Amino acid sequence: MWTPSRWLRDLDVLRALSGDQKLNYLGFSYGTYLGAIYAELFPANTGRMVLDGAVDPTLSLGGRATGQAKGFETSLRTYVEQCQSGQAVQEGQGCPLTGDADAGVQQIRALITSADQTPLKTADPNVTVDGRTIRSVVRRFLYSSEYWPLLTYALDQAITQKDGSYVQVLYGRATAGSSTPTFYAVNCQDIPVQGDVTSWEKEYRQNLQSSPTFGASLSNQDARCQAWGHSGTREPAPIHAKGAAPILVVGTTGDPATPYAWAQALAEQLESGQLLTWEGDGHTAYGRSNDCVKKAVDTYLLNGTMPDKGLTC
């Protein structure tokens, strides 16, 4: 059975076979969880480590889902505000979301509900787009604020023309090479199942209240793992990695998938952790943010010099 600790022990064997005394590591998103556990297991072998888009290891599966539900709902509102202000649109294009931000969010929810009842036509007469597909596209494109103008184009076509053609194009791009079953399987083998039907129903209602758009689809990971019959053995707990070299944790203030609070928590837990903040939107920072983040990360990975404490880019 695959478990993080088993895989990370294999990784340390590869480090040794390669002749490297230390493992230098750049991890994104779930890779931050693996990196933190590696540092906990092998602090003396941990070299220059950067963890971008951090997962808080103290969270249960339900806790992760609750954080993401709130994160994506907040990010959706930010997207709507940028669409309405003309920032998240292509040149010569308008935003189809009218009124204030609350009204714009409600228009997206209404589109999803309507498409569930009457799927949208597309350029392919054999393909229609339902609300689930629209919700999936919106959520996936909230990961990358640089692509928000494409999302606006798709929503404009869907809302004003009742045409889901470009939504379907974006859905194909977003899901190419991805595997939802693999995602659930890996999560299930991370952490033991917690709770029961009563607590899962409560979690579902709370997530739906805090995130009417995404709460339902993100809830009840524990129930899925229980139904599958597999779960992990590592109880949610802080990771300190005592004795490890400095670890740079990068957090994005508008990250929907790994909320900024998770990066703050991990940096605080790690004995040698230090937080680098990017004031931006979307998932992770390095490689898609600005020169300030790039310089800080590159300088540490290449030269071993950490950025100034408390640096915000």
Side-chain angles (χ1 to χ4, degrees):
M1 183 69 71
W2 187 95
T3 63
S5 60
R6 178 176 296 179
W7 183 84
L8 291 166
R9 293 180 193 281
D10 290 343
L11 179 62
D12 195 59
V13 170
L14 292 176
R15 175 205 57 78
L17 290 174
S18 71
D20 291 337
Q21 292 186 343
K22 304 281 187 179
L23 176 72
N24 296 320
Y25 182 95
L26 171 60
F28 295 94
S29 195
Y30 182 77
T32 67
Y33 182 68
L34 296 178
I37 295 176
Y38 179 90
E40 179 89 331
L41 292 172
F42 306 105
N45 298 342
T46 300
R48 301 166 187 172
M49 180 172 284
V50 177
L51 307 178
D52 185 359
V55 174
D56 181 355
T58 68
L59 295 175
S60 65
L61 294 174
R64 290 181 184 179
T66 296
Q68 287 191 329
K70 294 177 181 177
F72 278 105
E73 200 70 35
T74 299
S75 185
L76 177 63
R77 183 180 179 86
T78 300
Y79 158 72
V80 169
E81 291 172 344
Q82 292 196 17
C83 179
Q84 292 175 332
S85 66
Q87 299 176 69
V89 299
Q90 296 175 319
E91 185 175 354
Q93 176 191 8
C95 177
L97 307 173
T98 58
D100 60 12
D102 287 337
V105 169
Q106 188 56 46
Q107 287 162 46
I108 293 176
R109 293 177 189 160
L111 173 65
I112 292 170
T113 300
S114 174
D116 270 334
Q117 297 169 351
T118 306
L120 302 177
K121 63 180 178 61
T122 70
D124 185 339
N126 298 314
V127 176
T128 57
V129 166
D130 60 11
R132 180 192 63 82
T133 301
I134 296 172
R135 181 186 294 106
S136 179
V137 166
V138 171
R139 184 161 71 90
R140 287 175 182 271
F141 273 78
L142 290 178
Y143 276 77
S144 304
S145 56
E146 56 268 37
Y147 296 129
W148 285 0
L150 300 181
L151 177 59
T152 299
Y153 182 85
L155 291 176
D156 186 24
Q157 188 183 62
I159 292 172
T160 63
Q161 302 176 39
K162 305 299 181 183
D163 185 347
S165 296
Y166 202 64
V167 170
Q168 184 62 29
V169 169
L170 295 187
Y171 182 75
R173 293 182 184 179
T175 57
S178 66
S179 174
T180 299
T182 300
F183 171 80
Y184 286 133
V186 169
N187 277 347
C188 286
Q189 294 177 81
D190 276 348
I191 300 171
V193 169
Q194 296 186 1
D196 53 25
V197 172
T198 300
S199 63
W200 299 335
E201 289 178 347
K202 181 179 179 181
E203 172 199 318
Y204 178 87
R205 290 193 297 270
Q206 290 175 338
N207 288 346
L208 198 59
Q209 182 175 7
S210 65
S211 177
T213 315
F214 307 107
S217 61
L218 288 169
S219 295
N220 296 334
Q221 174 69 32
D222 285 292
R224 292 188 181 98
C225 298
Q226 178 76 10
W228 184 40
H230 296 282
S231 66
T233 58
R234 183 192 178 277
E235 295 288 347
I239 291 179
H240 304 298
K242 185 176 181 180
I247 299 174
L248 183 61
V249 180
V250 185
T252 300
T253 55
D255 193 323
T258 52
Y260 180 64
W262 294 5
Q264 291 176 303
L266 181 60
E268 181 67 25
Q269 293 166 36
L270 293 167
E271 183 183 75
S272 59
Q274 181 175 318
L275 180 65
L276 167 64
T277 299
W278 177 46
E279 293 183 330
D281 296 297
H283 184 40
T284 72
Y286 182 68
R288 55 170 302 271
S289 53
N290 57 27
D291 289 340
C292 173
V293 172
K294 184 178 186 301
K295 180 180 179 181
V297 173
D298 286 350
T299 299
Y300 181 51
L301 289 177
L302 297 175
N303 303 325
T305 302
M306 288 282 278
D308 293 338
K309 289 186 177 181
L311 177 63
T312 296
C313 295

